[in-house]
Amino acid sequence: MATKKKAAKKAAKKAAPKKAAKKAVKKAAPKKAAKKAAPKKAAKKKSTRKPNAAFMKALTPSADLAAVVGSKPLARTEAVKKIWQHIKANKLQDSKNRRMINNDAKLKVVFGGKAQVSMFDVAKVLSKHLK
């Protein structure tokens, strides 16, 4: 009888830790999930973008370019904007191929006498006329 009691106690001890372990695992699992959800990394703040000083430098336009954008010194970016204002106001953009610009009398002088130029050439040609 003593051996039966010892065997029963051993079985109870073995069973109890397994149940407790299972409960501990079940309890631990939600805590782990909660821990994973709780610490969120803070999003990195984007630094404010600073414009390049070379683009913002006021340059004097040539006499040919002054007929389109004005004679006051202005930044390269502003000169491109004013050229585009002139193109849009006079509807000089080609209707079939929108990348091409049909030059009027004022722009023909600026773009070296070409009747039509690509929009990608505008900034390139401007560099010759801004000092």
Side-chain angles (χ1 to χ4, degrees):
M1 219 153 133
T3 56
K4 285 184 183 178
K5 284 184 182 178
K6 285 182 183 178
K9 282 185 182 179
K10 284 183 184 178
K13 283 183 183 178
K14 286 182 183 177
K18 285 183 183 177
K19 287 181 184 176
K22 285 182 183 178
K23 286 181 183 178
V25 171
K26 286 181 183 177
K27 287 181 182 177
K31 287 182 182 177
K32 286 182 182 177
K35 285 182 183 178
K36 286 182 183 176
K40 292 182 180 178
K41 292 183 180 178
K44 292 182 182 179
K45 293 182 180 178
K46 291 184 180 180
S47 60
T48 56
R49 191 165 176 237
K50 295 178 183 175
N52 190 345
F55 285 117
M56 305 313 285
K57 182 180 175 185
L59 301 167
T60 309
S62 67
D64 298 334
L65 185 61
V68 180
V69 298
S71 59
K72 291 182 180 178
L74 68 160
R76 187 180 309 274
T77 54
E78 291 298 317
V80 172
K81 284 181 186 176
K82 290 202 177 195
I83 290 256
W84 273 105
Q85 285 175 353
H86 178 80
I87 292 167
K88 300 269 182 173
N90 296 316
K91 298 181 181 175
L92 299 176
Q93 209 168 356
D94 193 43
S95 59
K96 290 181 182 176
N97 186 356
R98 306 286 288 168
R99 285 187 290 176
M100 299 305 286
I101 297 162
N102 301 320
N103 295 327
D104 61 353
K106 289 181 181 178
L107 286 180
K108 228 178 214 182
V109 177
V110 174
F111 291 116
K114 294 180 182 177
Q116 198 176 45
V117 292
S118 170
M119 67 169 56
F120 303 112
D121 294 335
V122 172
K124 181 169 61 172
V125 174
L126 272 183
S127 63
K128 297 174 186 171
H129 292 279
L130 293 170
K131 305 254 173 164

